[in-house]
Amino acid sequence: MTPHQSRPAALTRLHRLLAVLGLAVALLVSSAGVASSEVWVTNDAAGDVVAFEYDGESEEMVPAPDQAAGDVRRFAVSHTARHVTIRVTMRRKLPKEDWMLFERIKTPRGAFDLMVFRFGFGGGVSLTKANSMREVGCRGMSVKYDANAVQIAVPRRCIGRPSVVRVGAGVSTFTGDDESGRAYADDALRSAVGEYLKLSPPVRRG
């Protein structure tokens, strides 16, 4: 089950935040960190979360340095013969619900959107073609929760067995109800939330 299959009000909220995070059309080039033939790791600044009111009146983003849940500190991509594994480590463990982790995986042949989420109505993991609602069947995809980190392993066969990938990630948490409240967001590869998710350098299959 994905967020788009339950609670229409929550769908509006998700679409609004996705637009803020830049999970839409174009992707920017990242030069942070150092890439190898298999593993790429970088650190993200602490206290760079931004807040977004979704009450329908204001869409201004403001800094929220005290928001530790969802504040990304470390981002790692491992590209092996069988899997692309993405690990996002945060300043504090995520709450039990009302959060989502969104990732963009770009390959030479296209791009994929990967979402891990937990809301009051349920949770799960979803892999779709980029900028579409078309689910990609992917047996063997797994999610692991380890203290304040989330790790997702995607079989390479599900994304066309690419020789190289570039990956971006954003984390968001929510407070309030379906009508009004606050969303917190952090891009794993920049010190602020931009119009689009920033991508890693190319990470080649090891």
mmCIF file of all heavy atoms in Angstrom, residues 22-28 104 131 195-199:
data_model
loop_
_atom_site.group_PDB
_atom_site.id
_atom_site.type_symbol
_atom_site.label_atom_id
_atom_site.label_comp_id
_atom_site.label_asym_id
_atom_site.label_seq_id
_atom_site.Cartn_x
_atom_site.Cartn_y
_atom_site.Cartn_z
ATOM 1 N N GLY A 22 11.312 19.156 -4.075
ATOM 2 C CA GLY A 22 11.844 19.038 -5.410
ATOM 3 C C GLY A 22 11.827 17.626 -5.935
ATOM 4 O O GLY A 22 12.734 17.206 -6.639
ATOM 5 N N LEU A 23 10.789 16.861 -5.586
ATOM 6 C CA LEU A 23 10.700 15.495 -6.077
ATOM 7 C C LEU A 23 9.837 15.519 -7.327
ATOM 8 O O LEU A 23 8.833 14.859 -7.411
ATOM 9 C CB LEU A 23 10.062 14.611 -5.002
ATOM 10 C CG LEU A 23 10.627 14.842 -3.610
ATOM 11 C CD1 LEU A 23 9.917 13.961 -2.603
ATOM 12 C CD2 LEU A 23 12.100 14.573 -3.577
ATOM 13 N N ALA A 24 10.246 16.309 -8.296
ATOM 14 C CA ALA A 24 9.370 16.561 -9.425
ATOM 15 C C ALA A 24 10.040 16.243 -10.749
ATOM 16 O O ALA A 24 9.996 15.109 -11.187
ATOM 17 C CB ALA A 24 8.865 17.998 -9.386
ATOM 18 N N VAL A 25 10.686 17.206 -11.378
ATOM 19 C CA VAL A 25 11.085 17.019 -12.761
ATOM 20 C C VAL A 25 12.593 16.980 -12.942
ATOM 21 O O VAL A 25 13.181 15.933 -13.177
ATOM 22 C CB VAL A 25 10.491 18.136 -13.646
ATOM 23 C CG1 VAL A 25 10.815 17.883 -15.107
ATOM 24 C CG2 VAL A 25 8.985 18.211 -13.461
ATOM 25 N N ALA A 26 13.253 18.142 -12.839
ATOM 26 C CA ALA A 26 14.687 18.195 -13.110
ATOM 27 C C ALA A 26 15.495 17.779 -11.894
ATOM 28 O O ALA A 26 15.026 17.825 -10.783
ATOM 29 C CB ALA A 26 15.080 19.618 -13.533
ATOM 30 N N LEU A 27 16.749 17.387 -12.120
ATOM 31 C CA LEU A 27 17.641 16.972 -11.043
ATOM 32 C C LEU A 27 18.954 17.730 -11.187
ATOM 33 O O LEU A 27 19.426 17.972 -12.297
ATOM 34 C CB LEU A 27 17.906 15.464 -11.117
ATOM 35 C CG LEU A 27 16.674 14.607 -10.866
ATOM 36 C CD1 LEU A 27 16.965 13.163 -11.249
ATOM 37 C CD2 LEU A 27 16.266 14.681 -9.413
ATOM 38 N N LEU A 28 19.535 18.097 -10.061
ATOM 39 C CA LEU A 28 20.771 18.854 -10.078
ATOM 40 C C LEU A 28 21.970 17.939 -9.898
ATOM 41 O O LEU A 28 21.860 16.830 -9.406
ATOM 42 C CB LEU A 28 20.753 19.902 -8.952
ATOM 43 C CG LEU A 28 19.617 20.924 -9.052
ATOM 44 C CD1 LEU A 28 19.744 21.915 -7.891
ATOM 45 C CD2 LEU A 28 19.667 21.656 -10.366
ATOM 46 N N ARG A 104 15.596 9.376 -5.003
ATOM 47 C CA ARG A 104 15.612 9.332 -6.461
ATOM 48 C C ARG A 104 16.852 8.558 -6.889
ATOM 49 O O ARG A 104 17.968 8.877 -6.471
ATOM 50 C CB ARG A 104 15.628 10.747 -7.020
ATOM 51 C CG ARG A 104 15.881 10.860 -8.529
ATOM 52 C CD ARG A 104 14.774 10.247 -9.380
ATOM 53 N NE ARG A 104 13.480 10.852 -9.180
ATOM 54 C CZ ARG A 104 13.033 11.914 -9.853
ATOM 55 N NH1 ARG A 104 13.801 12.515 -10.740
ATOM 56 N NH2 ARG A 104 11.804 12.359 -9.636
ATOM 57 N N ASN A 131 8.527 10.394 -11.582
ATOM 58 C CA ASN A 131 7.482 11.339 -11.969
ATOM 59 C C ASN A 131 6.225 10.658 -12.473
ATOM 60 O O ASN A 131 5.509 11.193 -13.314
ATOM 61 C CB ASN A 131 8.001 12.311 -13.037
ATOM 62 C CG ASN A 131 9.275 13.002 -12.610
ATOM 63 O OD1 ASN A 131 9.374 13.476 -11.483
ATOM 64 N ND2 ASN A 131 10.262 13.029 -13.487
ATOM 65 N N GLU A 195 14.907 23.483 -4.682
ATOM 66 C CA GLU A 195 13.752 23.172 -5.513
ATOM 67 C C GLU A 195 13.741 21.704 -5.921
ATOM 68 O O GLU A 195 12.691 21.106 -6.081
ATOM 69 C CB GLU A 195 13.753 24.062 -6.758
ATOM 70 C CG GLU A 195 12.521 23.893 -7.624
ATOM 71 C CD GLU A 195 12.527 24.811 -8.825
ATOM 72 O OE1 GLU A 195 13.504 25.578 -8.983
ATOM 73 O OE2 GLU A 195 11.564 24.766 -9.604
ATOM 74 N N TYR A 196 14.923 21.132 -6.076
ATOM 75 C CA TYR A 196 15.029 19.732 -6.467
ATOM 76 C C TYR A 196 15.992 18.999 -5.540
ATOM 77 O O TYR A 196 16.905 19.592 -4.982
ATOM 78 C CB TYR A 196 15.533 19.615 -7.908
ATOM 79 C CG TYR A 196 14.737 20.390 -8.900
ATOM 80 C CD1 TYR A 196 15.290 21.468 -9.587
ATOM 81 C CD2 TYR A 196 13.400 20.065 -9.151
ATOM 82 C CE1 TYR A 196 14.550 22.191 -10.500
ATOM 83 C CE2 TYR A 196 12.652 20.786 -10.054
ATOM 84 C CZ TYR A 196 13.230 21.854 -10.731
ATOM 85 O OH TYR A 196 12.483 22.574 -11.618
ATOM 86 N N LEU A 197 15.784 17.690 -5.410
ATOM 87 C CA LEU A 197 16.749 16.880 -4.677
ATOM 88 C C LEU A 197 18.102 16.930 -5.371
ATOM 89 O O LEU A 197 18.182 16.882 -6.603
ATOM 90 C CB LEU A 197 16.285 15.419 -4.627
ATOM 91 C CG LEU A 197 15.292 15.001 -3.556
ATOM 92 C CD1 LEU A 197 14.978 13.526 -3.708
ATOM 93 C CD2 LEU A 197 15.843 15.282 -2.170
ATOM 94 N N LYS A 198 19.139 16.984 -4.592
ATOM 95 C CA LYS A 198 20.486 16.946 -5.153
ATOM 96 C C LYS A 198 20.936 15.495 -5.254
ATOM 97 O O LYS A 198 20.624 14.679 -4.381
ATOM 98 C CB LYS A 198 21.431 17.741 -4.258
ATOM 99 C CG LYS A 198 22.691 18.207 -4.952
ATOM 100 C CD LYS A 198 23.424 19.227 -4.085
ATOM 101 C CE LYS A 198 24.611 19.809 -4.836
ATOM 102 N NZ LYS A 198 25.317 20.826 -4.021
ATOM 103 N N LEU A 199 21.687 15.179 -6.306
ATOM 104 C CA LEU A 199 22.127 13.811 -6.554
ATOM 105 C C LEU A 199 23.595 13.615 -6.227
ATOM 106 O O LEU A 199 24.398 14.548 -6.312
ATOM 107 C CB LEU A 199 21.903 13.435 -8.016
ATOM 108 C CG LEU A 199 20.458 13.341 -8.502
ATOM 109 C CD1 LEU A 199 20.421 12.906 -9.958
ATOM 110 C CD2 LEU A 199 19.653 12.400 -7.648
#
